[in-house]
Amino acid sequence: MSAADEILDVVDENDRVIGQYPRGEVYARGMRHRCVFVLARDADDRIFVHRRTPAKLVLPSLYDMFVGGVVGAGEAYDDAALREAEEELGVSGLP
């Protein structure tokens, strides 16, 4: 399954789920969906900044100070934030 096929919850302005659609359609139609962003700091309180890959659908190849991504259909925000931090930073066992 490609990233464009991943099913996302589409929400209203109060974060209530009003439908579920593939990510590609959500992006193409500009539909409101859930996402998470994690700000990573090191022991010296410096913010981790990275360059997004050229393959990203949104803002490819630009610098970003957050790691994160979309929240999958039915996924909790905290679970999504932990999953994204693990995927993008290569760490595990975060609290």
Side-chain angles (χ1 to χ4, degrees):
M1 175 169 73
S2 73
D5 295 327
E6 179 183 8
I7 301 299
L8 304 181
D9 289 331
V10 172
V11 297
D12 66 13
E13 61 275 359
N14 295 306
D15 199 31
R16 291 183 297 234
V17 176
I18 58 173
Q20 293 181 328
Y21 297 89
R23 181 198 296 221
E25 183 175 351
V26 169
Y27 280 30
R29 294 176 54 191
M31 303 168 93
R32 181 180 284 126
H33 60 286
R34 296 172 171 163
C35 59
V36 292
F37 300 97
V38 177
L39 183 66
R41 296 177 183 266
D42 69 8
D44 294 324
D45 208 31
R46 295 177 298 184
I47 296 172
F48 172 73
V49 176
H50 64 101
R51 191 167 195 165
R52 297 169 61 84
T53 65
K56 288 287 188 183
L57 293 174
V58 178
L59 304 173
S61 300
L62 296 181
Y63 287 97
D64 199 344
M65 62 185 213
F66 295 104
V67 297
V70 298
V71 177
E75 186 176 27
Y77 282 105
D78 287 347
D79 292 340
L82 179 60
R83 175 182 52 75
E84 290 289 347
E86 289 177 347
E87 287 174 5
E88 296 191 20
L89 298 175
V91 297
S92 62
L94 296 173

